[in-house]
Amino acid sequence: MSSTVIRVNGKAPAEVSQHHVPMLPPPVWVDGSPSLRQITDDIARPLEMRPGKGWWICFSIAFAALLNLGGMVSYLFAKGIGIWGLNNSVGWAFDITNFVFWVGIGHAGTLISAILLLFRQQWRTSINRSAEAMTIFAVMCAGMFPAIHMGRPWDAFFIFPYFPNQRGPLWVNFRSPLVWDVFAISTYLTISLVFWYLGMIPDLATLRDRAAGGIKKFVFHILSLGWSGSQRTWSRYEIVSLVLAGLATSLVLSVHSIVSMDFATSLLPGWHTTIFPPYFVAGAIYSGFGMVLTLLIITRYTMNLQNYITLRHLDKMAKVTMLTGMIVSYAYLTEFFSAWYGGNLYERYHFINRATGPYAWCFYLMVLCNVVTPQLLWFRKARTSVVFLFAVSILVNIGMWFERFVIIVVSLHRAFLPSGWGMFYPTVFDVGILVGSFGLFFTCFLLFIRFLPMIAMWEIKGVVGHGAHKMALSSQEQEEPVSV
Amino acid sequence: MSDSDSHGHYASCKSAKERLVQIQPQEAPAYWKSVAELQNGPRSSGEFPGGLPAAGQSGTTRRDFLALMGFTLAAAGLSGCRAPVQNAIPLLVGSDQFVPGVANWYATTCRGCAASCSLLAKQRDGRPIKIEGNAESSLFGGGTCATGQAMVLSLYDDERLRGPLWQGQPAGWEELDRRVAESVATAKAGSGSIVLLSGTINSPSTRAIISEWRASHPNFLHVEYDATSLSAMRAANQESFGLAVVPHYALDRARVIVGLDADFLGTWLSPVEFTRQYANGRKPEDAPSLHIQFESGMSVTGSNADLRIAVAQSDLGPVAAALLARIARRGGHAGIGPIEDPIDSRKLDAVAEQLWKHRGESLVISGCNDVTVQIVVNTLNVMLGNIGKIIDLTRPSLQRNGDDQAMSDLVEKMNRGEVHTLFMLGVNPAYDYHDPARFLSGLEKVPLSVSFSDRRDETSSHVHAVCPDHHFLEAWGDAEPVATHFSLAQPLIAPLFGTRSAQESLLKWLGHEPADYYTYLRDYWQKNIFRRQRGVPDFQSFWDRSLQEGLVVLPLLHPATEPRIQGNWRAAVHSIREDQAKHRQAGSADRYELDLYESVALRDGRHANNPWLQELPDPISKVTWGNCAAIAPATAAKLKLTDGDVVRLRTVTQQIEVPIFIQPGQHAQTISVALGHGRNKVGRAGQNVGVNAYPLLRVKDGYRLLSAREVTLEKTGRSEKLATTQTHFSMEGRPIVLETSLEELHQSSEVGIEPALPTLWAARPEGEHAWGMAIDMNACTGCSACVVACQAENNVPVVGKDQIERIRIMHWIRLDRYYSGPEEDPVAVHQPMMCQHCQNAPCETVCPVLATTTSSEGLNQQVYNRCIGTRYCANNCPYKVRRFNWYNYTDNPQFDFNMESPLGRMVLNPDVAVRSRGVMEKCSMCVQRIQLAKNVALQGRRELADGDIQTACQQACPTQAIVFGDLKEPNSRVAQLQHSQRRYQVLDELGTRPNVSYLKKVRNPVRTT
Amino acid sequence: MRVQLALLALLGAVLAAGAGAWQLSRIGIHQGYSPAQPIAFPHKVHAGDNQIPCLYCHFAARTSRHAGIPPASVCMNCHNVLEKQTVEIEKLKEAVDLAQPIRWVKVHNLPDFVYFNHSQHVQSGVACQSCHGAVEKMDRVEQVSPLTMGWCLRCHREHAKVPVNDFERAALSLKQKQKPTAGLDCASCHY
Amino acid sequence: MSDKFLVATFTDTEALLAAVRAVRQDSFRIYDVYAPYPVHDLDHAMGVKRSRLPWVTFVVGVLALGFALTFQFYTSVLDWPLNVGGKPDNSSLAFVPICFELTVLLSGLATVAALFLRARLYPGKKAPKFADDITNDAFALVLRWRENDFDALRARRILEQSGADRIREKEASS
């Protein structure tokens, strides 16, 4: 681990530390030099006391939205897809836009916990747990949309190749990207869930041992699977975590590639392009980090964990956001270039229409949020101003939602035959269900930070342990006290 | 549908229970009572024709309308809904002509308008469910129009009266007969005249009844009145030829057709017949005729013309005169002073040139209800020597007999209280008379007014007695659309309600006992028709054959005599010139002219309650559910108006408020508004849809001109959403409709079919057949008959104005209409677009559940019960021809059209599944017909022959623009057409390899310079 | 051994799930449905003992989509002359005298979305029994076949020379490409 | 049956490591070490061999891949080939995504399952508790107390020297 030199606030620890230590001091990812016991207390405390006003306000808003979702979806099932603004020209709009959007959000979690684990990035330790939780809830929201966009969920099981069936037997069409989706999403959800739970077992054990008794103790007792902290288990456990991380990493890259194939394999101008898989993955990570930023900035306040989620964490994430943001911008350019260079009549028209047609405002909003905004993150001031980052993270999510909307609706509303052209106008149900999905997401997340350790205690301890922190701590003293 | 198992049953059980309560007792037997008579003789009355319940297999809704008949789900209500008990109730006494589940076809005659096309009507299990043209007819061929196709639905119209009314209250026939008898008696005593006010009547037997009335009642008067009449033409012909008739035209023989505001392909006189002739005369492979159209608004006819010249209504006369001047000069007729050309002289020269070149084989028609114009037109035809060759005055058309003057006289008589008894048959003056108030005030003064209307409409709700007439599918009848061309009408179903045929009423009131129109008709034919024919010795067999074939053509009574030409056409020209001058002075830039035209679907308005027709897009504007004011783009720009802005059109006396529609090709100073809309008493579907423009029309020396002058246009500031089915009219330079010119076609010898594009995949093993279709873009006029035919055949639901505003029309076949060229003078083209049945179908690859796949016979098959509704296929369909069921359109109060009402559902085709919510559907190439034909061939132990299978759209098409058949059968017509050099496929560069191919549109421009 | 217990439980769960799935897949199958009829008409006596061919009474099956239930008049052809009397025959005659239609109960009901045509099958020489079972041995008619799509396909496959057994079929299609036949098209039953 | 153990608790990982090394040098066999987080070098010090669980991942992965491939091939080529957009029955490229997903899914689940089996982790298991705060901030080194061949005194001495906080004897059921 000492192999990775990590700059603290832009300066190498070597420069900042006045100590004449032969080796580079390890980076510091926890402020306030807490003892192991204190870490446990800090992180477990929120779960043991009544939640604050902030939490209740957030929760009631989120829960209201969730109820609204329930109501609207039941109405949808009762009446039919017609209550949405869809039509013969535009067969997908908010439904699939939301689907792709949420799947995208779902990428950051696994990326942080898996890929950064493989790269031995220690700064992930404070954020990976909540990022994974976010992933799971996001993928839940995403999974909801394919189910409801059919309007008849009781027939959805046709999409699974199951036996016995009395139809001959009739299977499914493995050539259809929608079937790929079903497998990709469910796999991603399962593996992320397992990964998340596995990582939580030691902490569950901690909570079990802290719990006074009663139902809480019992539940943690069951969930922690009798974890004892045995070193023999630890060593197997770390191996398995690495393996899962490897698998999950490949998922991070595959899931959104497959989602992008829903479009790439069709023949619609604006959909039918080979750039989609990498472009979508980058976009997913971009939006995912945006969402992680949003959530962490909120939680580090509501749960006052500034010592664990430090500005340096935010700075890191801001950098990743900026990078992926620029990859996305590059993809936008490439699309236009290949449309012009390819010279296909329909393709060209599509992109002219994207930039000048009736939905041009969506396009420019998207450009503003996804191309212009990230550029501000070049400045360290921007990266370390919590308020600013929060604003950026919101913009990023808006931008990414509109990116999907542009790709889906603008491509559909003016396809090959002009006689089939038409406009899409959302109805209250389109918007309501989008809002509702946020309700579902935040409800889950708020419950999570209320009842489960939102920071991996054992990993923090691992980082803080080995006395390494003592050394780096001294470097802290000359640093400005960053615990905001 | 797939969810009907889990949910449908419950619904259907419930509805069944309810329905049993309301309808079973009195009505349900009524449906069947006399079908049984029809089929099995009176003995089996009170029964249900056997086996039909099995049709209950075919769809919740299909089960529901059986429930309506009061038996199928009788038990289901009680037996709980998990596995509903289905009952089957056979006949008590079998019948040899009636096999349940097998359709019978009967020849009959259409009454949708006075054109009286010959029909074959399909009767399935006792219900008429489909109308098709009678291919035997030498006049109409097998084609129909959109309106004719929809007539079967008006049979099942909920708004039809269940029985006669007296003073608005249900009454018995006896009572009515008594009262009418009294009134007629007093009238006979001399206290005023007895008047029968009717639309055009070309039924010889009915005319016989009328003449009986005339004979027995000296003060009897018969007035024929058409909302859109040709009485000026009749008057003009009286003056020019001494014959007050509407001639019969032969467009197929004309080499040059010049139309002056006559929409003969859309609504004028006999559109089906003309459309057929027109197409036959314009086959590009041999010398096609040249068609020049002068008109104000874009009409179906204009959209097909080789040269279309937009002129103001007031310039139609001058144009005719200017043409006459040129022809006269050539023909050496003196006496026409110089006429100022209303339009570009070179164009007129070119037209005159063409006319003169094709003397004797050209035709000038005008729809103008203005005597002077018609006289000039007659003179033109005379000078060109077309009379007797292209224009037949000796076998005139009897399809428009209305007399405007007689009508206005009648209204005055009524107001003077000189009319004692008034019968009204097939007219609705309170709606379509230009001065309804005047008519109604007169009506009040009539001691006894009787209407034969089938519903409470604007007129019949003001009369004393309503004696509802049968729907023509319930009634006997005959017609003589063109002299010596007779056709018969026979009932396919016993009257659904307590109605009585008008003829029977008239006979009864004449004192005939028994007043049985069938016998009367039969006798009439025996005495008059049978006598005049040779060949069939005995009447019975003649009768049977006529009934079976539906039509008889007799030789002329008296040999053709060339009509002598008379009449002072110079005077006519003179008055035109004066009128023009007068108008020039009055005219100013902010004064517009109004051009009122019959709507293609609703015609003069009588079909306003037919949801199929309300939802049929106008062939030109593509607007459904209501009319709008067509305005030229330039004018709209000048006035800063956009589509849907509501404007107030004001004449001197009247005004209407109507949304505008920007119409390319519209004359800048003329505004076109469709008639037939804005009925305020007609029924749920048509109530107050659109605006009634009749009050605006102008009467010139007693003739109802379908136009007005000095019209002012004011903005109201309001704006409405137009329910249009096509929002973009330009092809954006895409190769969608390909065109070629006549020269090119005749010069180029190269065979047009370019080799099929290479495909990535190995060819799959072929099946027995390969169904394919070829559509001739040159023959298609955009008449839209195919659209309604498809709707009727395939149980396509009506979705209503709101859904169409949301671009959710369900029609399986769409008529795309594109414009090219300058927007003030565009060239239009119509393209039927339905599922192309691609061999490499993009929709199939993306369907996750294999709900759509390619059949062994090349059909792109859609399995409704497998579809889970992801809509991915529709997104990936480059032709956008897939239709999604956004809601349940059946048995759903939200969509209160025919499929909501138990009665309306009787029109459903039991052989086609009714789609439920959340399911994708599309053109199936009428696979049910394919399967049926196979089955018939199997029963006959023979191979399928080309032509055994006709898709609904193909059958309905008057121009035979659509050809369906087996591509693997080298001699089939469709396979032959694959070698046409005009053949191409839409978007084939995408590699979809459609089984539908198109034949290029051929342009034959007129050199005007 | 706790672990073994857990494993056993798991196994049990899997088996239960399997059984459940099988049951689920049989929903809507009314095999063995045999309702009482208003007149207890014994096919055994007519088609069995007296050897009356099916198509004599169900004549519509030759030409129509529906086999149809014979009109009472058809029954009366014989029962007018036969002097044998039973309560059931009395019911029949009464119905005829009172011109009172007989409300039979349909036994074989297909889902709404399937188009089945009797004549097509009769004309192709499919024996009635192959779907309806040995009706001539039944006193009261019973639905012997499941009437599922898989069941239909079995016969259609035989007809199309495609093995019915999944594994045979698999083996065959490994050797040669299956030739598409109309009998196996979706659109031959679903439209 | 219940065993006797000698439990030494530490607060410092350095001391723990020292103790582990010392104990092993003196040829005591370590029963186990308990820690709130995986202490680095401890495996090495204890001589714990690298786990072979990744093999499970590999084997199951290969099996899953095979299954996915054959299943898709069977259903769309052998069992009921349908003409889907004119594409070949064996559109093998289209089968790749699902093969991949199933491989990852099944191998992942199998690995975790294997871990639980191997480490005897299952719901409701009672965790052996040799010292307090193991899951919080304490480290414990546990030696099994075998009758007749366990020099408790020497063990204690070694542990004390290497800086254990407390040393206790403990009865526990293994």
Side-chain angles (χ1 to χ4, degrees), chain C residues 2 153 157 166 169 173 177, chain D residues 74 78-81 89 122:
Chain C
R2 261 176 148 166
L153 272 167
R157 287 202 168 113
D166 288 359
R169 191 164 64 251
S173 34
K177 199 123 190 58
Chain D
Y74 169 73
L78 303 182
D79 191 24
W80 193 353
D89 295 332
Y122 52 86

Side-chain angles (χ1 to χ4, degrees), chain B residues 334-543:
Chain B
I336 298 188
I339 290 186
E340 162 198 6
D341 290 338
I343 59 168
D344 180 354
S345 311
R346 286 170 314 181
K347 288 185 176 168
L348 288 168
D349 294 337
V351 176
E353 174 60 38
Q354 290 293 340
L355 280 171
W356 187 253
K357 201 163 85 199
H358 296 286
R359 289 192 297 287
E361 48 186 8
S362 61
L363 170 64
V364 185
I365 330 175
S366 170
C368 251
N369 200 21
D370 179 330
V371 183
T372 55
V373 179
Q374 290 293 353
I375 289 179
V376 171
V377 168
N378 286 343
T379 319
L380 267 168
N381 284 317
V382 170
M383 288 184 181
L384 291 166
N386 300 332
I387 308 296
K389 300 204 181 64
I390 310 299
I391 300 175
D392 186 349
L393 287 153
T394 54
R395 278 178 196 251
S397 149
L398 306 176
Q399 292 153 312
R400 274 279 194 295
N401 307 338
D403 182 338
D404 294 354
Q405 263 143 345
M407 178 63 184
S408 38
D409 297 349
L410 173 64
V411 173
E412 293 320 309
K413 266 172 81 87
M414 285 159 62
N415 279 289
R416 287 197 302 274
E418 294 166 13
V419 176
H420 182 282
T421 309
L422 176 65
F423 302 124
M424 285 181 288
L425 171 56
V427 291
N428 187 6
Y431 162 72
D432 54 25
Y433 190 59
H434 51 275
D435 189 354
R438 184 79 180 144
F439 172 81
L440 286 174
S441 71
L443 191 60
E444 278 166 16
K445 299 199 179 61
V446 176
L448 177 70
S449 51
V450 181
S451 165
F452 294 107
S453 168
D454 67 341
R455 68 191 65 229
R456 289 174 202 253
D457 57 27
E458 293 82 349
T459 309
S460 65
S461 49
H462 291 91
V463 299
H464 302 99
V466 185
C467 306
D469 190 2
H470 291 328
H471 184 278
F472 73 86
L473 289 170
E474 302 169 320
W476 288 99
D478 58 354
E480 188 184 9
V482 173
T484 70
H485 289 262
F486 295 87
S487 64
L488 273 172
Q490 56 183 322
L492 279 83
I493 186 171
L496 295 173
F497 308 119
T499 55
R500 186 170 78 181
S501 85
Q503 291 88 347
E504 193 169 329
S505 302
L506 288 172
L507 285 171
K508 203 169 196 62
W509 301 335
L510 261 178
H512 277 251
E513 271 311 332
D516 173 12
Y517 178 48
Y518 170 66
T519 345
Y520 187 91
L521 176 71
R522 206 166 177 283
D523 296 346
Y524 177 86
W525 275 60
Q526 186 154 19
K527 289 199 195 66
N528 304 279
I529 319 284
F530 176 58
R531 293 275 164 69
R532 283 166 60 186
Q533 62 88 38
R534 292 161 213 75
V536 190
D538 66 309
F539 176 65
Q540 188 54 47
S541 43
F542 168 73
W543 177 252

Side-chain angles (χ1 to χ4, degrees), chain A residues 76-93 95-96 149-160 162 167 170-179 261-268 271 344-346 349-350 412-425 427, chain B residues 1-3 6-7 721 725-736 764 803 806-810 814 816-818 831 833 842 844-850 864-872 874-880 882-888 892 894 916-919 986-987 989-990 992:
Chain A
L76 177 83
F77 290 163
K79 293 286 287 181
I81 295 301
I83 66 172
W84 283 345
L86 300 172
N87 56 43
N88 293 348
S89 311
V90 183
W92 286 346
D95 45 4
I96 301 302
H149 97 297
M150 306 179 195
R152 293 178 304 153
W154 51 88
D155 275 346
F157 68 93
F158 276 177
I159 209 169
F160 296 103
Y162 64 93
R167 292 180 216 92
L170 183 60
W171 302 98
V172 302
N173 178 11
F174 288 111
R175 300 167 187 81
S176 165
L178 278 187
V179 176
M261 290 176 196
D262 287 350
F263 310 104
T265 59
S266 80
L267 46 59
L268 217 57
W271 284 12
N344 175 308
L345 183 64
Y346 307 100
Y349 179 85
H350 167 70
L412 282 171
H413 92 118
R414 288 184 178 177
F416 293 96
L417 295 191
S419 60
W421 290 3
M423 291 291 290
F424 164 83
Y425 302 103
T427 66
Chain B
M1 301 288 80
S2 43
D3 57 331
S6 39
H7 304 254
K721 209 162 184 296
T725 59
Q726 186 181 346
T727 49
H728 198 79
F729 297 153
S730 154
M731 257 183 282
E732 297 293 335
R734 301 178 177 187
I736 296 167
R764 302 185 63 95
Q803 291 295 299
R806 298 170 188 271
I807 326 178
R808 290 177 182 175
I809 186 131
M810 292 300 283
R814 187 177 75 209
D816 294 347
R817 197 257 310 93
Y818 297 109
Q831 180 178 47
M833 180 54 66
E844 293 175 4
T845 321
V846 297
C847 174
V849 293
L850 294 166
Y864 308 125
N865 49 304
R866 179 66 171 174
C867 176
I868 55 176
T870 67
R871 303 186 294 291
Y872 199 174
N875 290 344
N876 208 26
C877 171
Y879 309 94
K880 281 269 181 276
R882 292 185 151 254
R883 300 282 175 261
F884 187 68
N885 286 271
W886 301 99
Y887 292 102
N888 251 335
N892 176 352
Q894 192 183 339
S916 80
R917 187 241 296 181
V919 166
V986 177
L987 296 180
E989 71 267 32
L990 297 176
T992 52

Side-chain angles (χ1 to χ4, degrees), chain D residues 29-62:
Chain D
R29 286 183 49 253
I30 295 177
Y31 174 71
D32 204 343
V33 174
Y34 295 88
Y37 62 84
V39 180
H40 281 265
D41 315 339
L42 189 52
D43 291 352
H44 181 254
M46 286 171 67
V48 177
K49 276 188 224 64
R50 187 181 159 79
S51 161
R52 292 187 310 279
L53 283 171
W55 283 102
V56 178
T57 324
F58 176 72
V59 174
V60 176
V62 171

Side-chain angles (χ1 to χ4, degrees), chain B residues 157-454:
Chain B
D157 185 345
D158 276 317
E159 306 298 328
R160 289 180 57 198
L161 289 169
R162 288 351 192 211
L165 304 177
W166 175 259
Q167 305 284 18
Q169 298 308 318
W173 281 110
E174 305 71 22
E175 183 191 356
L176 281 171
D177 293 339
R178 203 185 65 250
R179 294 180 185 278
V180 173
E182 287 164 5
S183 166
V184 169
T186 43
K188 205 167 180 179
S191 63
S193 54
I194 307 170
V195 181
L196 170 63
L197 171 59
S198 76
T200 295
I201 289 183
N202 57 20
S203 150
S205 57
T206 313
R207 297 193 82 87
I209 298 176
I210 292 167
S211 38
E212 274 193 43
W213 274 87
R214 205 176 279 112
S216 53
H217 303 76
N219 52 354
F220 176 85
L221 178 64
H222 177 212
V223 175
E224 284 177 286
Y225 157 68
D226 294 325
T228 58
S229 81
L230 296 184
S231 54
M233 173 187 270
R234 299 163 68 83
N237 290 354
Q238 175 64 39
E239 177 158 354
S240 311
F241 312 119
L243 299 167
V245 296
V246 174
H248 183 229
Y249 300 96
L251 275 65
D252 46 356
R253 273 188 260 121
R255 298 293 316 284
V256 175
I257 302 166
V258 174
L260 287 160
D261 202 30
D263 185 9
F264 53 83
L265 297 180
T267 55
W268 191 75
L269 190 53
S270 180
V272 173
E273 182 186 355
F274 292 147
T275 307
R276 174 160 173 265
Q277 295 178 346
Y278 183 79
N280 290 344
R282 286 170 66 84
K283 297 216 159 64
E285 279 66 20
D286 31 271
S289 66
L290 192 69
H291 173 205
I292 297 120
Q293 185 80 356
F294 296 88
E295 61 183 9
S296 312
M298 177 75 82
S299 74
V300 178
T301 314
S303 70
N304 286 283
D306 296 307
L307 173 61
R308 177 183 175 277
I309 301 168
V311 298
Q313 281 288 310
S314 58
D315 283 340
L316 288 165
V319 164
L323 286 176
L324 179 59
R326 288 167 168 73
I327 298 298
R329 201 177 307 122
R330 285 193 156 87
H333 300 266
I336 298 188
I339 290 186
E340 162 198 6
D341 290 338
I343 59 168
D344 180 354
S345 311
R346 286 170 314 181
K347 288 185 176 168
L348 288 168
D349 294 337
V351 176
E353 174 60 38
Q354 290 293 340
L355 280 171
W356 187 253
K357 201 163 85 199
H358 296 286
R359 289 192 297 287
E361 48 186 8
S362 61
L363 170 64
V364 185
I365 330 175
S366 170
C368 251
N369 200 21
D370 179 330
V371 183
T372 55
V373 179
Q374 290 293 353
I375 289 179
V376 171
V377 168
N378 286 343
T379 319
L380 267 168
N381 284 317
V382 170
M383 288 184 181
L384 291 166
N386 300 332
I387 308 296
K389 300 204 181 64
I390 310 299
I391 300 175
D392 186 349
L393 287 153
T394 54
R395 278 178 196 251
S397 149
L398 306 176
Q399 292 153 312
R400 274 279 194 295
N401 307 338
D403 182 338
D404 294 354
Q405 263 143 345
M407 178 63 184
S408 38
D409 297 349
L410 173 64
V411 173
E412 293 320 309
K413 266 172 81 87
M414 285 159 62
N415 279 289
R416 287 197 302 274
E418 294 166 13
V419 176
H420 182 282
T421 309
L422 176 65
F423 302 124
M424 285 181 288
L425 171 56
V427 291
N428 187 6
Y431 162 72
D432 54 25
Y433 190 59
H434 51 275
D435 189 354
R438 184 79 180 144
F439 172 81
L440 286 174
S441 71
L443 191 60
E444 278 166 16
K445 299 199 179 61
V446 176
L448 177 70
S449 51
V450 181
S451 165
F452 294 107
S453 168
D454 67 341

Side-chain angles (χ1 to χ4, degrees), chain D residues 88-156:
Chain D
D89 295 332
N90 180 14
S91 317
S92 19
L93 273 182
F95 300 160
V96 171
I98 289 177
C99 290
F100 170 79
E101 296 295 338
L102 280 183
T103 312
V104 172
L105 177 65
L106 296 181
S107 55
L109 291 180
T111 317
V112 174
L115 168 70
F116 288 168
L117 285 177
R118 186 69 187 75
R120 294 244 185 294
L121 297 172
Y122 52 86
K125 178 186 179 186
K126 183 122 181 40
K129 197 154 182 300
F130 290 96
D132 298 334
D133 288 335
I134 289 296
T135 57
N136 185 355
D137 62 350
F139 305 81
L141 169 60
V142 180
L143 302 176
R144 189 180 227 140
W145 187 303
R146 281 199 196 67
E147 301 304 334
N148 66 46
D149 74 337
F150 181 75
D151 188 340
L153 293 169
R154 207 159 94 251
R156 281 178 178 277

Side-chain angles (χ1 to χ4, degrees), chain B residues 672-692:
Chain B
S672 296
V673 182
L675 296 166
H677 294 265
R679 296 280 306 266
N680 53 30
K681 279 205 185 63
V682 69
R684 294 205 304 291
Q687 202 84 318
N688 303 323
V689 178
V691 188
N692 178 8

